Amino acid sequence: MEKLMKGKKVSILNYEKRVKMGYDIVHKLYPDAKLYKADLNWIKDRFLLTLKFSYTDEKTISINETEFEKWNTPAMKDELFFGIDYFNWPVKMTFDKACELRERKGFGNAFTEVILMKHFFETPSNACYFFNGNPSVYVDTVNGEVHPTYRLKK
């Protein structure tokens, strides 16, 4: 995740910068769009982002990275928006901090996807980083709590 560069740890993913790039593209065209999901997926040989926004009760907007820090044009879709609440960008915790907390709790395993969104089953919920791996865990961006997304068998 990180490499040493001139004595400092630097994220090779540039997560916040990349999300901000996609976010700014959408907000320039659709200022009222509200971010509800940032999905970082391992595609072929790299992690790429997809951002989803609610626009109205019946419209959503998505934008995808086509390659590192390169984005396609936002796509508007006729989709009912329900079940997931939007969150304010930027969130209170960096991606690197979430990775650190996850590793400190003993969940330093590999992952192939990270989804930043509000929790489906908790109301009200803070935005959380969901690391899909074995086991899958989530990190709350406000209180820093780390939990498996399912019960571990003992």
Side-chain angles (χ1 to χ4, degrees), residues 88-119:
N88 293 323
W89 179 258
V91 293
K92 295 185 183 283
M93 180 183 293
T94 66
F95 176 78
D96 288 346
K97 181 67 176 177
C99 288
E100 177 187 320
L101 291 172
R102 178 179 152 267
E103 289 173 13
R104 255 196 248 156
K105 286 286 190 171
F107 299 110
N109 57 320
F111 55 87
T112 57
E113 178 183 34
V114 180
I115 302 170
L116 175 61
M117 60 187 259
K118 288 197 170 185
H119 204 293

Side-chain angles (χ1 to χ4, degrees), residues 4 13 17 22 25 35 37 48-49 54 56 61 72 74 76 86 89 91 97 108 117-118 122 140 144 147:
L4 202 57
L13 293 177
K17 177 184 176 187
I25 291 167
L35 183 62
K37 185 176 182 183
L48 296 176
L49 278 161
S54 66
T56 67
I61 299 167
N72 68 358
M76 176 117 28
Y86 63 89
W89 179 258
V91 293
K97 181 67 176 177
M117 60 187 259
K118 288 197 170 185
E122 294 183 18
D140 188 300
H147 299 281

Side-chain angles (χ1 to χ4, degrees), residues 1-100:
M1 275 309 196
E2 298 178 332
K3 61 182 177 181
L4 202 57
M5 187 174 282
K6 294 187 181 178
K8 296 181 182 178
K9 283 186 175 180
V10 178
S11 172
I12 60 173
L13 293 177
N14 293 327
Y15 184 86
E16 285 77 13
K17 177 184 176 187
R18 292 165 62 196
V19 172
K20 183 178 181 338
M21 289 172 78
Y23 183 90
D24 288 349
I25 291 167
V26 169
H27 270 260
K28 186 175 180 180
L29 297 170
Y30 308 101
D32 295 330
K34 297 174 183 168
L35 183 62
Y36 72 89
K37 185 176 182 183
D39 194 353
L40 183 70
N41 267 293
W42 184 254
I43 300 173
K44 296 184 182 176
D45 61 348
R46 65 184 145 241
F47 279 105
L48 296 176
L49 278 161
T50 297
L51 305 181
K52 292 205 171 193
F53 298 79
S54 66
Y55 187 58
T56 67
D57 289 342
E58 297 178 359
K59 303 255 186 221
T60 62
I61 299 167
S62 65
I63 187 169
N64 302 307
E65 262 186 325
T66 55
E67 52 186 282
F68 190 78
E69 296 184 355
K70 306 284 186 212
W71 294 85
N72 68 358
T73 303
M76 176 117 28
K77 297 179 181 175
D78 292 326
E79 290 180 344
L80 291 177
F81 181 74
F82 63 95
I84 306 172
D85 199 5
Y86 63 89
F87 56 90
N88 293 323
W89 179 258
V91 293
K92 295 185 183 283
M93 180 183 293
T94 66
F95 176 78
D96 288 346
K97 181 67 176 177
C99 288
E100 177 187 320

